[in-house]
């Protein structure tokens, strides 16, 4: 919000400098983002002085130039060559001294010592348009005799620069979207800090109805969307350029002047916060304005020439035949005011913020008016704004008020009743302000005291303060005017001890694993929980069925139609984006929630039970593991690399080896995958190679390895784990290898499980280090080379004990799997 310092002074009396005003406003919560000086005339007339022409002679080498000597009050007169026809001795003139910068549109030039037709010139005698004080160029400026020689031109013309205060308005402070709104806060601050001040705005005493030649009827069909609508007709207007004072006000705050009628409505909005619209009365067919919705399908061309199709919930200002304006957002082409306009209809209304916000977003339109209506304006300021606009139309356009104000206000909008207890206020602030201070602040903020008693106040907050409806809101208002810096920091610190809950521990573990993965070369990604419906509806994935998807009732688009069941698709979107930008070697991880719907659990009494939310962690691996290294040949990423990262995660969070059972996964999102399950059968980890069909649907032409961990399930599995430390064993571990001939359908996970069942004390690790299928093996057979690590932490293992364990292991593998030693 851009505020003019000089304009602000029209509503509140103060003697603060612009810098002090900025500090005061920031302390009240209206944070000033920038403070810039704005010159009424570009350059501020610097380097220009009042001079007296002492002599004026014809130039020896020209019939239209004159050689003058001019006194600038500096001692010796300066010789200046001048081409103006009206220059003469004895005149008081405006002179641009050497070094002065003058402007011509976007161009600028500096006055330098020069020669004109062989005669030296040490300055320039100026015309009005050359220095920006007027438009005349038929001769130089001739000043009155009493103009003091040597006086700077800025002082002579009483040039007073303005200051532009840029305020970063928060969404809740709709009341401060005008100069008068900011003045209210500044007034309250000045009162609280002991300054002599008053708050005032122009009266409407000059408003009167001149005739009844152009009555306009008004009908509001949707009183929820349009809570108040007032209008007034002005006849015999002369649409022309605005006076300079009005153009200056608009220019300072960055608004382009258009014509006097449009400029008046913009001025009223920026002055008092009431957006207005001005219709050419000829467009109001039947002299009847109808405010209605249900205009679906109607084509509408806005003032900027773009065509829009109105929807069912677009509120429009219509005549008896067509829409003229999207209410509170944008006027229609032809409904504005032009040079041919003679009669106008002024509109001042209050529209429901939600209706305006939805229409503005639906049509991609954002205007100063919609910005205010969306946040809530003062419903009781409509008539004041209408009268002020009418007074200015009569003054600046010569119009006549040609009807009584038509004010449709079916349901009056009341203020907000709030009970404020003194004790509550002091407790919330942390300081006893005193009852008198509290009363003074709320009154200065235009809150009406309905009743006062020993405990507190019954307040009626004005309806334009849409953000103040609770006692805590009133306390916040009191504190921002009193000053946060005036509340002393206590020397005593009161605190309560908190215990780290399970959620805190899980978050800590999540950060640890995140750091571990980043250290391994992964990048963390974050994707939207809302995703495409087609991922689940068309992909036909057995683990993520369409029926279990949480659907969004009113999706913003098809791309945001459902809540994700898996982190998979968001990561694939990220891979596509990177691969398309020539980044093909990727390691991603993400931690986020996934959602499911189970219709079997839905009940009318508790429908929420049908929905579940779980935290998952996912890893994606694609491209080359090593590329472009002088010390290592290029190497593709593999599933085993992904498996190692997953095992490191499980080891880091404390999942004991053997706690999870490895099985082949039936998830058809993968070509090949394994699932790690609890003994009860709950899948906690799935990892493998994503299916070619799925990758093709994303236009990914390289292998992608994917793992998804049920993070919430893993955290539950380790909830009772206790951290224990023990010395590294002094006794050596023993390694033994077996080459086992097994059927093709036997998996390593079965061998590992049998081995751990055989010995739970001495067997520390089981690892597969080679698989062979092919020549020299019986048909239907394959060879597994398996390494077993044995260790006794209390003594050194001897050959007899080792052989006993290995023989028992071979026996169990033979009996249960039909394994043979090679």
């Amino acid at each position: 919000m851009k505020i003019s310092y000089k304009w602000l002074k029209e509503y509140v009396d103060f003697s603060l400098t612009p810098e002090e005003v900025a500090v005061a406003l920031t302390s009240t919560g209206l944070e000033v983002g920038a403070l810039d000086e704005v010159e009424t005339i570009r350059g501020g007339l610097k380097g220009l002085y009042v001079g007296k022409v002492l002599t004026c002679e014809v130039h020896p080498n020209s019939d239209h130039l004159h050689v003058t000597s001019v006194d600038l009050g500096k001692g010796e007169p300066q010789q200046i060559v001048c081409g103006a026809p009206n220059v003469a001795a004895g005149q008081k003139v405006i002179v641009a001294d050497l070094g002065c910068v003058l402007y011509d549109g976007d161009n600028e030039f500096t006055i330098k010592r020069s020669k004109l037709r062989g005669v030296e010139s040490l300055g320039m005698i100026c015309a009005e348009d050359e220095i920006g004080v007027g438009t005349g160029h038929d001769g130089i400026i001739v000043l009155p005799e009493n103009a003091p020689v040597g006086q700077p031109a800025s002082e002579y013309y009483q040039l007073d620069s303005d200051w532009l205060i840029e305020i970063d308005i928060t969404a809740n402070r709709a009341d401060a979207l005008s100069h008068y709104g900011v003045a209210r806060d500044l007034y309250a601050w000045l009162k609280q800090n002991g300054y002599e001040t008053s708050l005032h705005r122009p009266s409407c005493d000059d408003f009167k109805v001149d005739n009844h030649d152009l009555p306009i009827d008004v009908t509001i069909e949707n009183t929820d969307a349009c809570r108040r609508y007032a209008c007034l007709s002005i006849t015999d207007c002369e649409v022309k350029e605005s006076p300079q004072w009005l153009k200056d006000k608009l220019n300072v705050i960055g608004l382009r002047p258009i014509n006097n009628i449009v400029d008046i409505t913009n001025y009223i909005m920026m002055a008092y916060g009431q957006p207005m619209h001005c219709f050419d009365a000829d467009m109001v067919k039947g002299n009847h304005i109808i405010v209605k919705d249900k205009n679906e399908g109607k084509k509408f061309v806005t003032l900027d020439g773009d065509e829009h199709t109105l929807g069912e919930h677009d509120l429009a200002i219509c005549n008896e035949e067509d829409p003229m304006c999207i209410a509170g957002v944008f006027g229609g082409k032809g409904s504005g005011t032009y040079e041919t306009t003679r009669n106008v209809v002024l509109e001042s209304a209050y529209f429901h913020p939600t209706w305006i916000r939805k229409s503005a977003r639906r049509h991609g339109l954002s205007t100063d008016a919609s910005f205010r209506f969306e946040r809530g304006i003062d419903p009781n300021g409509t008539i004041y704004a209408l009268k002020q606009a009418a007074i200015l139309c009569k003054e600046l356009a010569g119009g006549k008020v040609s009807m009584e104000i038509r004010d449709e206000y079916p349901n009056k909008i009341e203020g907000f009743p709030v009970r404020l207890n003194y004790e509550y206020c002091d407790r919330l602030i942390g300081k006893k302000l005193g009852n008198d201070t509290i009363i003074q602040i709320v009154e200065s903020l235009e809150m009406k005291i309905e009743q006062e008693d020993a405990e507190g106040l019954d307040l009626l907050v004005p309806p334009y303060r849409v953000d103040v409806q609770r006692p805590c809101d009133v306390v916040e208002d009191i504190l921002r005017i009193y000053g946060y810096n005036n509340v002393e920091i206590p020397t005593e610190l009161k605190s309560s001890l908190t215990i780290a809950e399970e959620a805190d521990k899980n978050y800590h573990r999540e950060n640890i694993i995140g750091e571990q993965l980043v250290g391994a070369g992964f990048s963390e990604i974050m994707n939207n929980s809302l995703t495409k419906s087609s991922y689940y509806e068309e992909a036909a994935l057995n683990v993520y069925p369409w029926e279990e998807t949480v659907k969004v009732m009113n999706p913003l688009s098809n791309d945001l139609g459902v809540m994700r069941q898996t982190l998979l698709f968001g990561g694939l979107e990220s891979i596509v984006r990177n691969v398309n930008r020539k980044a093909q070697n990727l390691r991603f991880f993400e931690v986020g929630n996934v959602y499911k719907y189970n219709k079997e659990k839905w009940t009318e009494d508790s429908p929420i039970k049908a929905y579940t939310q779980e935290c998952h962690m996912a890893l994606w691996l694609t491209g080359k593991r090593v590329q472009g290294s002088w010390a290592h040949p290029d190497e593709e990423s593999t599933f085993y690399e992904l498996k190692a990262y997953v095992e490191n995660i499980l080891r880091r969070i404390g999942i004991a080896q053997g706690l999870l059972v490895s099985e082949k996964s039936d998830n058809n999102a993968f070509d090949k995958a394994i699932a790690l399950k609890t003994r009860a059968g709950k899948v906690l980890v799935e990892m493998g190679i994503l299916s070619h069909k799925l990758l093709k649907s994303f236009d990914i032409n390289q292998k992608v390895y994917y793992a998804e961990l049920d993070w919430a399930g893993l955290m539950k599995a380790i909830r009772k784990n206790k951290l224990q430390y023990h010395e590294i064993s002094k006794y050596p571990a023993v390694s033994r290898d077996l080459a086992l001939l097994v059927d093709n359908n036997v998996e390593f996970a079965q061998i590992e499980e049998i081995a751990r069942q055989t010995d739970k004390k001495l067997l520390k690790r089981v690892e597969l280090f080679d698989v062979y299928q092919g020549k020299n093996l019986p048909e239907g057979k394959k060879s597994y080379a398996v390494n077993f690590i044995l260790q006794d932490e209390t003594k050194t293992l001897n050959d007899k004990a080792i052989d006993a364990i290995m023989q028992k292991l071979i026996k169990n593998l033979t009996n249960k799997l039909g394994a043979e030693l090679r």
Side-chain angles (χ1 to χ4, degrees), residues 633-652:
D634 288 2
E635 182 180 331
E636 296 286 342
S637 294
T638 65
F639 166 75
Y640 299 103
E641 183 186 352
L642 176 70
K643 181 172 176 285
Y645 290 130
V646 173
E647 289 177 345
N648 286 338
I649 292 172
L650 298 179
R651 189 178 297 113
R652 186 70 181 269

Side-chain angles (χ1 to χ4, degrees), residues 226-238:
C226 179
R227 306 292 296 276
R228 187 175 192 179
Y229 192 93
C231 70
L232 191 67
S233 64
I234 312 287
T235 59
D236 298 331
C237 294
E238 182 186 357

Side-chain angles (χ1 to χ4, degrees), residues 297-310 314 326 330-333 362-365:
K298 291 187 178 180
K299 301 295 183 181
F300 180 77
V301 180
T302 47
L303 283 167
D304 57 3
D306 291 339
E307 184 178 84
H308 299 264
T309 302
L310 298 181
D314 285 326
I326 301 177
F330 222 125
K333 188 175 183 180
R362 188 178 299 116
H363 294 285
L365 299 171

Side-chain angles (χ1 to χ4, degrees), residues 171-175 350 353 375-377 416 461-469 473:
N172 63 313
R173 292 305 307 277
D175 62 293
Y350 178 89
R375 288 157 176 77
I377 64 168
F416 310 109
V461 179
Y464 64 77
R465 286 307 306 273
V466 293
D467 61 322
V468 182
Q469 301 185 28
D473 299 329

